[in-house]
Amino acid sequence: MKPTRPFHQTPVITIDGPTASGKGTVAASVAATLGFHLLDSGALYRLTALASARYNIEPEDGDALAELVAELHITFREGCAQLDGVDVSTEIRAEEIGNRASAIAVHGQVRTALIARQRAFRKPPGLVADGRDMGTVIFPDATLKVFLTASDEARAARRHKQLIQKGFSANMEDLLRDLRERDARDSNRAAAPLKPAVDAKTLDTSGLSIDQAVDQIIGWFNAVPA
Ligand code: DC
């Protein structure tokens, strides 16, 4: 169902949450249903992580990483993420790149360098943006803010399935440990930590299908007064 009400500004739905909470799949489906653009902000951090590994920039070197962001040649085309014109969509999904992305995301300079690239995705008829700080920092005036959660076990099981489907090897115990570590780092960092915006609606997806989560979000969106 497409929105028919006029919005004064291009509408944005932000979907934040911890790793493997279902954000990516749910955000893509909400965007497709509404005919909105999609921002997978985690992909930008992952692309930066991949480039930093290629150029041998240490994850601790915030200044060098921020300079790298300014020079990155990134494009998103038909669901594919490209770095310097080469499709790296599969490579950036590797766990080691996700962990490196989480490590470089602690630097305020890196986050600041990525702000303009993220806000540029806000174009008519609307945007669905998923990440950690979409509702708190990047789009504080979003039309609807959603915070997705799910139990650690449900998230580890989802990540396991995703990785196996993409041809990576994965072990449940390692995944559970990695995702807890990643949550702790994403939530405890000083710069834009993972947390629900004060005006976010929380949705626990542990026992929900993708369609149920999507329907709930579209229902909330359609109920927002224009
Ligand atoms: O959503 P993801 O797993 O693709 O994100 C990878 C890492 O990037 C995540 O662990 C933390 C970082 N990230 C972030 O700090 N802020 C965002 N808006 C998105 C991702």
Side-chain angles (χ1 to χ4, degrees):
M1 212 191 326
K2 296 199 186 226
T4 49
R5 293 157 297 126
F7 284 96
H8 301 296
Q9 234 199 332
T10 302
V12 182
I13 300 175
T14 58
I15 304 182
D16 288 306
T19 192
S21 54
K23 295 182 311 288
T25 316
V26 170
S29 183
V30 171
T33 307
L34 295 171
F36 281 10
H37 300 282
L38 178 68
L39 165 61
D40 168 6
S41 62
L44 290 173
Y45 286 91
R46 287 171 180 265
L47 284 160
T48 308
L50 179 64
S52 73
R54 285 190 181 166
Y55 295 121
N56 290 320
I57 300 174
E58 293 301 323
E60 293 77 28
D61 193 346
D63 290 335
L65 289 164
E67 275 176 38
L68 172 69
V69 169
E71 286 161 19
L72 278 185
H73 182 56
I74 290 173
T75 32
F76 290 99
R77 200 161 292 148
E78 289 160 17
C80 293
Q82 297 183 335
L83 185 61
D84 296 328
V86 178
D87 182 5
V88 290
S89 314
T90 304
E91 246 175 301
I92 60 168
R93 292 296 142 202
E95 266 312 89
E96 75 219 45
I97 295 296
N99 289 331
R100 193 177 178 107
S102 169
I104 66 168
V106 302
H107 302 293
Q109 310 94 299
V110 173
R111 309 196 69 82
T112 302
L114 283 169
I115 289 177
R117 282 183 197 256
Q118 295 174 86
R119 292 195 177 140
F121 278 77
R122 187 177 195 166
K123 287 190 195 135
L127 174 68
V128 180
D130 93 65
R132 305 290 188 291
D133 61 342
M134 297 295 98
T136 50
V137 176
I138 305 298
F139 301 108
D141 63 337
T143 321
L144 170 69
K145 300 179 185 179
V146 179
F147 194 80
L148 286 193
T149 58
S151 67
D152 294 357
E153 289 72 19
R155 293 189 292 127
R158 278 181 198 158
R159 179 51 52 84
H160 186 263
K161 197 170 151 202
Q162 275 172 357
L163 288 169
I164 299 293
Q165 275 171 353
K166 289 197 158 72
F168 293 110
S169 64
N171 161 302
M172 278 293 284
E173 268 172 41
D174 292 350
L175 285 175
L176 203 50
R177 192 200 53 231
D178 276 6
L179 75 81
R180 285 181 176 143
E181 263 176 33
R182 188 149 12 138
D183 285 351
R185 191 167 41 211
D186 292 350
S187 306
N188 296 326
R189 67 182 177 221
L194 166 68
K195 63 170 182 202
V198 282
D199 48 349
K201 291 184 185 295
T202 298
L203 186 60
D204 186 332
T205 63
S206 311
L208 295 184
S209 67
I210 307 275
D211 286 350
Q212 286 171 320
V214 170
D215 286 351
Q216 174 64 81
I217 293 171
I218 304 249
W220 280 334
F221 178 69
N222 285 330
V224 174

